[in-house]
Amino acid sequence: LGSLRSALSKRAAQTLAALFEELGTASNRPLASALVPSLAKRVGDNTNAFIRAQARAALLAYCTSCPSADTALCLLGLARHRLVPLRVAALEYLGVCFDANPRLDAELIAGVQQACLDLRRDAHPDVRDAARDLADRIERGPAAAADYV
């Protein structure tokens, strides 16, 4: 996934998306700390639109099939990354996790809500918008899953 060769990186993201869709939560869960940051980095990469699109599809498949606390914690860490596209993507995919698993730990949800409050004061308007959208999404609950990403 981190290869500089775009065809290889794109194929890796496509393969991961297919794998995530086929495997269940139990099989995907151990992969969170290894793959979520790598996929998110590619989602935030503005140099290659094809790789970015495949990484978005793979991360969406992962967050939908394995919306565990581990996944949400990885994304929460990335929501404070120095790169704007990564912060925005992390917030968007946190919303996917909450839609797919509304029973996430209350302490984790409180941490995400606090991050949303903090990020509403971010210097970049896209981050502020994504933080506001995620906070609204958490308040509304998982019903609006199809409206995002």
Side-chain angles (χ1 to χ4, degrees):
L1 193 61
S3 173
L4 295 176
R5 296 197 50 180
S6 60
L8 183 61
S9 188
K10 177 182 171 186
R11 178 52 82 187
Q14 288 173 327
T15 302
L16 287 172
L19 182 70
F20 296 151
E21 290 171 2
E22 292 299 318
L23 294 177
T25 300
S27 300
N28 283 333
R29 192 170 183 191
L31 302 174
S33 63
L35 292 178
V36 170
S38 296
L39 286 169
K41 180 180 175 188
R42 287 302 193 171
V43 167
D45 183 4
N46 286 325
T47 59
N48 189 316
F50 298 112
I51 294 173
R52 186 173 54 250
Q54 293 305 317
R56 285 185 77 81
L59 193 54
L60 178 62
Y62 186 82
C63 291
T64 302
S65 71
C66 188
S68 67
D70 297 335
T71 303
L73 284 171
C74 287
L75 291 167
L76 184 57
L78 291 169
R80 298 183 186 278
H81 196 276
R82 66 179 178 80
L83 296 176
V84 170
L86 259 163
R87 291 197 305 271
V88 171
L91 291 167
E92 289 174 356
Y93 288 102
L94 271 167
V96 172
C97 285
F98 284 109
D99 287 335
N101 184 3
R103 295 176 311 244
L104 285 172
D105 182 71
E107 189 174 318
L108 176 60
I109 292 172
V112 171
Q113 288 173 323
Q114 182 60 50
C116 287
L117 284 174
D118 295 345
L119 291 169
R120 284 182 179 181
R121 294 186 296 270
D122 193 272
H124 201 280
D126 291 346
V127 175
R128 291 193 305 265
D129 290 345
R132 185 181 56 250
D133 290 346
L134 178 57
D136 292 346
R137 197 171 181 174
I138 291 170
E139 283 181 31
R140 280 194 315 268
D147 296 342
Y148 297 90
V149 183

